[in-house]
Amino acid sequence: AQRVTQPEKLLSVFKGAPVELKCNYSYSGSPELFWYVQYSRQRLQLLLRHISRESIKGFTADLNKGETSFHLKKPFAQEEDSAMYYCALRGTGFQKLVFGTGTRLLVSP
Amino acid sequence: DGGITQSPKYLFRKEGQNVTLSCEQNLNHDAMYWYRQDPGQGLRLIYYSQIVNDFQKGDIAEGYSVSREKKESFPLTVTSAQKNPTAFYLCASSTIQGDGANVLTFGAGSRLTVL
């Protein structure tokens, strides 16, 4: 079975501090991992996916198959990063996308 | 303006009534999905469809029904059998091939409240 765990409901940091939003997954095959973000009063949208291996808005995420993790990181948080972040997993082939419970990031000035 | 349109944005229902939430997309996406979003529970999949006239149950399909008569449309009916229907409902779509495959585009959502 596919499962995504985001252990933190809320992560509060000060502007300029490093940020790491944790995501662990359970899947026996080769997964595809995503981070989606929902800013206040905006639609849920894709932030990044592991196969792209790119940095979006200063965020990066590396798939660690040994630790079954896909943590989202940013070296210096900005106030505009405050949002709800969801980690998601899809298995091999066309399968449903399974979401974690989400982490709310609050960046204070 | 391409995207996904959900309506209504807010809906109130009395217990025992069925309600239908609309979802329309003009992105020419093959796949469409319905998720339910509850605080502390993330997004849970209700139903999804990869092609017209075909759909599959997600994790929490009980008390819901869907249809996919047109590629652009994927309405969700919340029936009286759904025991806890008050929630925020999100519709999404995606391609199923190419670079954009499996990347979901979401609607703005519909908030259903049962009185």
Side-chain angles (χ1 to χ4, degrees):
Chain A
Q2 301 169 204
R3 173 173 265 182
V4 176
T5 302
Q6 293 180 252
E8 304 139 328
K9 287 188 177 180
L10 172 66
L11 185 61
S12 185
V13 302
F14 288 106
K15 177 182 174 181
V19 168
E20 181 178 68
L21 286 81
K22 291 183 168 41
C23 172
N24 289 91
Y25 67 89
S26 174
Y27 181 65
S28 57
S30 293
E32 187 174 3
L33 276 296
F34 305 81
W35 277 99
Y36 281 80
V37 60
Q38 190 168 29
Y39 300 103
S40 179
R41 300 195 180 115
Q42 293 188 29
R43 301 184 182 201
L44 192 61
Q45 60 187 285
L46 177 71
L47 180 61
L48 54 80
R49 57 197 300 199
H50 89 271
I51 63 172
S52 299
R53 302 186 66 82
E54 56 189 348
S55 173
I56 305 293
K57 298 185 178 183
F59 284 98
T60 59
D62 292 318
L63 178 60
N64 186 323
K65 291 187 177 181
E67 296 183 357
T68 60
S69 68
F70 189 57
H71 303 327
L72 183 67
K73 300 177 184 180
K74 185 170 183 177
F76 308 103
Q78 302 299 313
E79 289 180 68
E80 55 265 30
D81 296 328
S82 295
M84 194 73 177
Y85 292 80
Y86 291 97
C87 182
L89 173 152
R90 186 188 300 277
T92 307
F94 183 87
Q95 295 192 34
K96 60 186 181 183
L97 194 63
V98 175
F99 284 83
T101 52
T103 298
R104 180 167 296 282
L105 175 64
L106 181 61
V107 182
S108 304
Chain B
D1 190 20
I4 298 182
T5 302
Q6 289 187 240
S7 63
K9 191 172 181 179
Y10 299 97
L11 184 61
F12 296 88
R13 186 194 94 177
K14 293 182 180 179
E15 283 193 27
Q17 290 180 336
N18 292 355
V19 293
T20 297
L21 307 180
S22 170
C23 179
E24 303 277 334
Q25 55 100 358
N26 60 5
L27 300 168
N28 199 33
H29 285 170
D30 292 300
M32 296 188 74
Y33 314 78
W34 275 104
Y35 284 89
R36 172 177 168 145
Q37 188 177 28
D38 296 284
Q41 297 195 57
L43 278 72
R44 293 179 291 166
L45 184 64
I46 304 173
Y47 269 98
Y48 64 103
S49 167
Q50 299 178 60
I51 194 169
V52 174
N53 292 324
D54 187 44
F55 46 83
Q56 287 77 43
K57 292 181 178 180
D59 298 315
I60 56 166
E62 185 176 351
Y64 299 98
S65 66
V66 293
S67 63
R68 187 87 187 275
E69 297 177 2
K70 299 186 299 182
K71 187 176 183 179
E72 302 80 20
S73 179
F74 192 41
L76 173 74
T77 297
V78 185
T79 75
S80 57
Q82 168 50 231
K83 295 178 181 177
N84 186 22
T86 294
F88 191 62
Y89 292 89
L90 283 169
C91 180
S93 70
S94 75
T95 60
I96 56 176
Q97 293 180 343
D99 283 346
N102 306 327
V103 175
L104 269 59
T105 299
F106 282 89
S110 293
R111 184 168 297 281
L112 172 63
T113 302
V114 175
L115 303 173

